[in-house]
Amino acid sequence: MAKGNQKRVRGRPQANSLLEHYRPIEGVVDEMVDASGNPRPAWRSFIEALGDLGADRLAQRFARADQYLRDAGVYYRVYDKAGANERAWPLAHVPLLIDELEWAEISAGLIQRADLFEAILADIYGPNRLVEKGILPAGLIAASPEYLRPVVGTRPASGHFLHMLAFELGRGPDGRWWVLGDRTQAPSGAGFALENRVATTRALSDIYGEMHVHRLAGFFRRFRDALNGMAKESGGRVAILTPGPLNETYYEHAYIARYLGIMLLEGEDLTVSGGKLMVRTVSGLKPIGVLWRRLDAAFADPLELNADSQIGTPGLVEAIRRGAVSAVNALGSGLMETRALLSFLPRISRELRGEDLSLPNVATWWCGQQAERNHVLANIERLVVGPALSTRVAFEDDGATRLGSALSAEERAELVARIEREGAAFVGQEAVTLSTTPVFADGRLQPRPASLRVYLARTPDGWTVMPGGFARVGFSLDPTAIAMQRGGQAADVWVVSDRPVERETLLPQESDGFIRTMPGSLPSRAAENLTWLGRYIERSEDTVRILRAYHVRLAETSDPEMPLLADIRDYLEPFGIEVESAIPLGLISTLDSAVYSAGQIRDRFSPDGWLALKDLSKTIHQFASTVAPGDDATRAMTVMLRKLAGFSGLLHENMYRFAGWRFLEIGRRLERGIQIARTLACLTRADAPDGALDMMLEIGDSVMTHRRQYPVQAGRRTVIDLLALDPLNPRSILFQLERLKAEIGMLPSVGGEGHMSPAAKEVLQLNTAIAVMEPSDMTAQVLDELANQIGDLYSRLAKAYFG
């Protein structure tokens, strides 16, 4: 900035160093500064506050935001040549600021568009008058893969086709906002918008607190209440349907489910019975009244839609057809994302609503009509040309959309020939020059192209607009670089007022009454994953204890052929634990399996728990390449035990005592009982080598207890008494059976009230049989059989609750 632009900031003269080298791009609207380089009104106080902080402190603040995102485990799945990889959420730290008066205009235009889309879908899947009158080409609709014939004539149970929408906007060189694309299928990103807000305010909490920024929570509260109201009318539950953890936005699905308190399900969790959509839970089948789907409609039902789908639910279409469940959004609503439809919206708006679009979309010409095709061919050098049936915004297309001016003469001639032959397959669109917004890079602010994604939700009072959303910001000046799959970033969006705004939250008002409700039914798949999470963590701990005991002795003797060490190697080998490596692959695999199981239930897993589990995984993988056998491995195993204990304690102390916790606890107790029985069978047998009993006490974490309990040196009977038959020792087999008896007895009845489940009967029998045994009865054969019987308990549970 020139010296003449110095200003007094917070009582002292200062040139804003962050703006000194900020140069808007000629001919492009910049969101932060006007053509003269002066901050726009909504930005003025924000930029002054940033200038007060300076580049170094800003970098520290933004690093704090990045650390929050890493700690929270926020990620986005990227698909490239190497496959599907998790990428840390790419936050562009400087928010996009929009004045609330301008936001009100944007909101009004999008509400008008949402109502128009509702009317179009009602017509296309109903009387089809738009096609009948020739306003919409029948061939275009029929050719779209998003047009689903099985739901034609189906009226949504809620009375509406659309409930949650997103629109991609861009500001052109004339300063007007244009709609670049519509998201009516299963709009993503609302959860990421929340995380953007949290991370950004962590970095700029003082600035955020001083500015009048509209909150996001009210938007989600109103939509949650609307979904619950719909479900109450149908007598069912609300659920989010996700494609699963391999989906690029699965983190968001889990986050939203956790944030709103909604059940997160996959297709296999659901079944259709008697024409109703039901979720498989540990309490039996329970009805679903509202299904907020986050997968493409074609994959929702392999019976009537895409037969190759393995993530859908057979019979879902029939349940919707009967009005037994409301789909958010309705199956087939993705049709409105079709790029070619943009060319017909202005006329349709006048036909159906008698008004022009107040927020127009980017100019589009479908080449299936002669006049439009001629226009595209005559102006191809200044247009972008792409697939007519694409549902992607032009700048995020995967190479199928081409800018005419960027083509060689040969490429242009080839494209012209294709358009002349297959005109209906192409659309031409006005090339979009996006406005720029500042990013903080290399210690200063720099302009980057940006688009704005805005969310609308239907409530009983009509559409509500999220006062923000998120901006997609490029990592370079190339407008195609704002797509997330191409390295783009995401920025928070602040809708700024000149007066205080309401501080909305998800919480009820103090004056509101409340009813404490019990947690919802636990889906069978979630129960199974919680059980296996408990088993994998306990199995990891047992393996680490054995390995530590092994490497302590290896460090002391330096003789791997010592009989006791040879016994341990033979014992571990069938379980895939090769002790020749300080960190066996079998141990790494077990911990990776724990991470996988937890990843299947992210909506039921606390951020702290997930962070602790990922830290465990990270630590074991680091040790694998750095730790040597012996003393080095002993210290590494001690670190692992400490972290495993911290993770288990975190879950035990913080997890609500409902069915989910019970299955986690059952998994832990099953595995501990199995492992203690097997290890006892190995180390207390009659021909066990010297030192085996001491090692057993060490593995069972009972050395000090043994010294206090028995005034004699460790013998076979005392070790078995303490680690098998002592009901007060949390490491003993009997203790595990007591806990299993209690927890299995608290599980939902599967045989009717008053009837014990097969698992409950078996654990009671086992518990009684062990409780009356003497140490002399516990031979190696008996212990091995006991381990198998405890393992059989899982099979009983799986048959009753996970099938």
Side-chain angles (χ1 to χ4, degrees), residues 157-184:
S158 67
H160 300 286
F161 287 83
L162 300 172
H163 306 84
M164 168 67 80
L165 302 175
F167 298 98
E168 203 79 37
L169 308 182
R171 194 198 295 271
D174 60 355
R176 297 183 65 189
W177 288 99
W178 297 79
V179 177
L180 307 178
D182 307 292
R183 293 287 175 262
T184 58

Side-chain angles (χ1 to χ4, degrees), residues 539-554:
R539 188 177 299 177
S540 298
E541 181 179 337
D542 179 77
T543 303
V544 167
R545 289 185 180 279
I546 294 174
L547 290 173
R548 184 173 68 167
Y550 176 90
H551 286 287
V552 164
R553 287 153 180 80
L554 181 63

Side-chain angles (χ1 to χ4, degrees), residues 746-757:
M746 295 286 286
L747 292 179
S749 174
V750 292
E753 295 298 329
H755 292 273
M756 292 182 68
S757 68

Side-chain angles (χ1 to χ4, degrees), residues 231-560:
K232 188 175 181 180
E233 292 178 2
S234 67
R237 292 160 171 76
V238 181
I240 296 176
L241 178 61
T242 175
L246 293 181
N247 184 260
E248 61 185 12
T249 57
Y250 175 75
Y251 171 85
E252 187 215 356
H253 304 167
Y255 180 86
I256 286 289
R258 190 167 57 239
Y259 182 69
L260 299 182
I262 296 175
M263 191 182 298
L264 183 67
L265 304 176
E266 296 181 27
E268 65 182 273
D269 295 326
L270 296 165
T271 186
V272 175
S273 177
K276 294 183 177 180
L277 184 65
M278 314 290 280
V279 55
R280 297 182 177 94
T281 79
V282 296
S283 303
L285 296 180
K286 302 294 181 182
I288 296 295
V290 177
L291 193 65
W292 182 2
R293 63 178 181 86
R294 300 301 302 272
L295 53 76
D296 288 352
F299 294 95
D301 185 347
L303 196 62
E304 296 200 51
L305 300 173
N306 187 339
D308 295 328
S309 172
Q310 298 184 21
I311 57 176
T313 303
L316 177 58
V317 169
E318 179 60 22
I320 291 174
R321 194 180 287 129
R322 293 189 181 195
V325 62
S326 293
V328 177
N329 292 322
L331 298 182
S333 57
L335 177 67
M336 298 310 303
E337 297 183 2
T338 306
R339 198 182 299 179
L341 285 183
L342 293 172
S343 63
F344 299 95
L345 291 181
R347 183 182 175 189
I348 293 175
S349 181
R350 291 189 292 271
E351 174 71 22
L352 293 183
R353 303 184 61 82
E355 57 190 15
D356 291 325
L357 293 171
S358 60
L359 194 63
N361 46 252
V362 61
T364 304
W365 296 268
W366 179 52
C367 296
Q369 297 170 306
Q370 186 65 49
E372 285 76 7
R373 181 164 63 249
N374 291 340
H375 175 84
V376 170
L377 293 174
N379 297 276
I380 196 168
E381 291 190 9
R382 63 181 185 85
L383 300 177
V384 292
V385 179
L389 300 180
S390 173
T391 57
R392 295 174 177 266
V393 179
F395 61 69
E396 66 180 13
D397 217 322
D398 53 359
T401 298
R402 312 290 297 277
L403 178 62
S405 60
L407 300 175
S408 66
E410 182 179 349
E411 289 172 328
R412 194 177 305 123
E414 181 181 348
L415 180 58
V416 166
R418 287 194 63 192
I419 293 173
E420 289 175 339
R421 288 195 314 269
E422 319 162 32
F426 293 94
V427 292
Q429 291 184 296
E430 183 178 354
V432 177
T433 302
L434 296 172
S435 62
T436 56
T437 193
V439 299
F440 186 76
D442 301 324
R444 61 190 179 93
L445 296 179
Q446 302 179 34
R448 291 291 184 268
S451 69
L452 172 64
R453 182 172 289 190
V454 185
Y455 297 88
L456 278 70
R458 187 183 293 282
T459 73
D461 299 322
W463 292 104
T464 183
V465 181
M466 182 193 293
F470 76 81
R472 294 201 283 178
V473 184
F475 66 91
S476 70
L477 292 176
D478 178 3
T480 66
I482 72 174
M484 303 298 288
Q485 291 287 340
R486 299 185 184 181
Q489 305 172 85
D492 191 14
V493 178
W494 291 6
V495 176
V496 182
S497 175
D498 58 3
R499 57 188 182 278
V501 299
E502 185 179 355
R503 294 179 175 271
E504 295 189 285
T505 72
L506 281 183
L507 301 176
Q509 301 298 315
E510 284 295 326
S511 58
D512 296 341
F514 73 91
I515 299 174
R516 178 187 294 159
T517 59
M518 294 304 293
S521 298
L522 181 69
S524 298
R525 181 181 53 84
E528 185 174 16
N529 278 293
L530 282 164
T531 305
W532 275 107
L533 174 61
R535 293 194 65 173
Y536 286 133
I537 289 298
E538 194 62 39
R539 188 177 299 177
S540 298
E541 181 179 337
D542 179 77
T543 303
V544 167
R545 289 185 180 279
I546 294 174
L547 290 173
R548 184 173 68 167
Y550 176 90
H551 286 287
V552 164
R553 287 153 180 80
L554 181 63
E556 291 173 349
T557 67
S558 300
D559 180 14

Side-chain angles (χ1 to χ4, degrees), residues 199-210:
T200 303
T201 53
R202 288 284 180 97
L204 305 172
S205 56
D206 48 351
I207 301 174
Y208 180 81
E210 292 178 3

Side-chain angles (χ1 to χ4, degrees), residues 769-792:
I770 300 303
V772 298
M773 278 190 174
E774 296 293 333
S776 57
D777 299 326
M778 304 292 281
T779 64
Q781 182 178 356
V782 168
L783 287 164
D784 276 330
E785 179 59 28
L786 180 56
N788 292 333
Q789 288 175 306
I790 297 173
D792 288 341

Side-chain angles (χ1 to χ4, degrees), residues 80 97 173 360 668 777:
D80 53 27
L97 274 58
R668 290 180 61 221
D777 299 326

